[in-house]
Amino acid sequence: TNNDIGIFNAIQNLASILAQLPGAKATKYFDRKFIWISSTIIARLLWIPILLIPFFMPSPITVLIFLLGLFAFFQAIKRTAWTSLMGDLVSDSARNDYFSKRNIIAGISGLFLTLAGGFILAYYGFSTIFLIAIFLGMASILFFAKMYEPPFRKEYHYQ
C-alpha cells in the first residue's frame, strides 16, 4: 500500500542516518577494511531471509520493511568506512578525476546490468536475481580484502 511504501522509505532513511555515528565511532576501534567487509557480509546475508519471506510468511510486509531497514543500516556503516578510506587513498588533486571516471564507469555498467537483470527476471525470476546479488556481493569482498589500507589520518578542517 502507499502507507507501506512511505514507511519503507522512512525506515531506510532513518537507518542510514542512525548508522553514521556508530560507523564513525567504529573507525576508532577497527580497521576501515574490517568495518567495510563485516558490514558487507551482514548486509548480503540479510538478503537470504528476505528471499525466503514469501515461502514462510502469509503477510510479510512488516518483516520485509524491518529487514530492509537493517540492510540500509549496514550499508550506511559500510559507506562511512569506505568514504574515509577513499579520502586517504585518493589524493586531493586526483579526487575529481578519479571519482568522475568511476561514476561514468559505474553508470554505464549499471545500464547494462539493468538490462541483464531484466532478462534474468523475465526468464528465471526474482530468486535468481537475489542469489546473484548475494554471490557478487560476497565476491566483491575478496577484491576489497586485497586492497591497500593506508594508516588512518586524523585531519580536522573546522571553520
Side-chain angles (χ1 to χ4, degrees), residues 77-144:
I77 286 179
K78 175 177 88 168
R79 215 170 325 156
T80 305
W82 182 84
T83 303
S84 171
L85 184 59
M86 289 296 114
D88 286 347
L89 275 175
V90 182
S91 69
D92 291 343
S93 60
R95 205 167 284 163
N96 290 339
D97 289 337
Y98 172 78
F99 283 106
S100 64
K101 288 177 186 173
R102 178 188 175 277
N103 287 341
I104 289 169
I105 292 169
I108 292 170
S109 300
L111 175 68
F112 288 114
L113 289 174
T114 300
L115 292 172
F119 287 117
I120 292 170
L121 178 62
Y123 291 108
Y124 300 107
F126 282 111
S127 301
T128 305
I129 290 177
F130 282 144
L131 291 174
I132 290 170
I134 292 167
F135 174 75
L136 291 177
M138 293 299 189
S140 71
I141 292 171
L142 297 175
F143 292 109
F144 194 82

Side-chain angles (χ1 to χ4, degrees), residues 31-122:
D31 291 339
R32 292 168 291 182
K33 277 177 37 175
F34 175 78
I35 296 167
W36 191 93
I37 290 170
S38 59
S39 61
T40 299
I41 289 171
I42 294 168
R44 294 298 177 219
L45 289 176
L46 282 170
W47 282 109
I48 295 172
I50 291 170
L51 177 65
L52 297 176
I53 284 175
F55 300 110
F56 296 107
M57 304 194 96
S59 178
I61 225 43
T62 305
V63 175
L64 178 65
I65 289 172
F66 174 75
L67 288 172
L68 288 172
L70 277 176
F71 176 78
F73 181 83
F74 287 106
Q75 287 291 99
I77 286 179
K78 175 177 88 168
R79 215 170 325 156
T80 305
W82 182 84
T83 303
S84 171
L85 184 59
M86 289 296 114
D88 286 347
L89 275 175
V90 182
S91 69
D92 291 343
S93 60
R95 205 167 284 163
N96 290 339
D97 289 337
Y98 172 78
F99 283 106
S100 64
K101 288 177 186 173
R102 178 188 175 277
N103 287 341
I104 289 169
I105 292 169
I108 292 170
S109 300
L111 175 68
F112 288 114
L113 289 174
T114 300
L115 292 172
F119 287 117
I120 292 170
L121 178 62

